[in-house]
Amino acid sequence: QVQLVESGGGLVQAGGSLRLSCAASGSIISTGTMGWHRQAPGKQRELVAEIRSNGIENYADSVKGRFIITRDNAKNTVFLQMNSLKPEDTGVYFCKARIFSSDRAFYYDYWGQGTQVTVSS
């Protein structure tokens, strides 16, 4: 059974920084694209950033220049360094990973349980 466990959320003042981590575990054979989505109250979940297994990154326009996504392939872990945080960055941040596991024998998108990020003004 594949699981994604997130950590690193919390409360921070505007202009501050936070670092999120997400570790995938279980019967993993291969990990493809990993990324972060967020959902603000009353809004739909949106892509924040993602990174392919070859290291190519993709960011939402709203976070370009402020957030950095990285990954450790050996540990099936993805990180999100969030700098110059704004109140509009507030929301629940979800980790997502496309994983080929022995449980399913094909690539499947797994989600973490989410971690709260609150940016005060």
Side-chain angles (χ1 to χ4, degrees):
Q1 184 79 11
V2 174
Q3 289 187 325
L4 302 184
V5 178
E6 300 134 330
S7 61
L11 172 64
V12 64
Q13 288 189 332
S17 298
L18 282 174
R19 187 174 189 246
L20 305 183
S21 299
C22 172
S25 63
S27 52
I28 298 170
I29 296 174
S30 177
T31 304
T33 300
M34 303 183 80
W36 293 92
H37 293 65
R38 70 185 177 192
Q39 188 165 18
K43 294 188 177 181
Q44 289 188 332
R45 193 174 298 189
E46 62 177 358
L47 173 68
V48 175
E50 61 186 2
I51 182 168
R52 298 182 185 177
S53 56
N54 60 8
I56 294 176
E57 304 159 30
N58 179 42
Y59 296 93
D61 288 342
S62 60
V63 306
K64 283 181 180 177
R66 299 188 297 123
F67 291 11
I68 301 171
I69 189 168
T70 57
R71 63 187 287 167
D72 183 336
N73 289 330
K75 297 182 178 180
N76 292 312
T77 301
V78 62
F79 306 94
L80 186 67
Q81 179 65 43
M82 305 186 292
N83 301 319
S84 302
L85 282 160
K86 304 176 181 179
E88 51 263 44
D89 293 319
T90 294
V92 179
Y93 282 67
F94 296 90
C95 173
K96 176 184 172 183
R98 179 156 292 184
I99 292 173
F100 191 102
S101 71
S102 58
D103 295 337
R104 294 178 182 268
F106 56 87
Y107 277 100
Y108 182 82
D109 288 335
Y110 292 88
W111 291 87
Q113 78 285 356
T115 184
Q116 177 71 43
V117 171
T118 303
V119 184
S120 62
S121 57

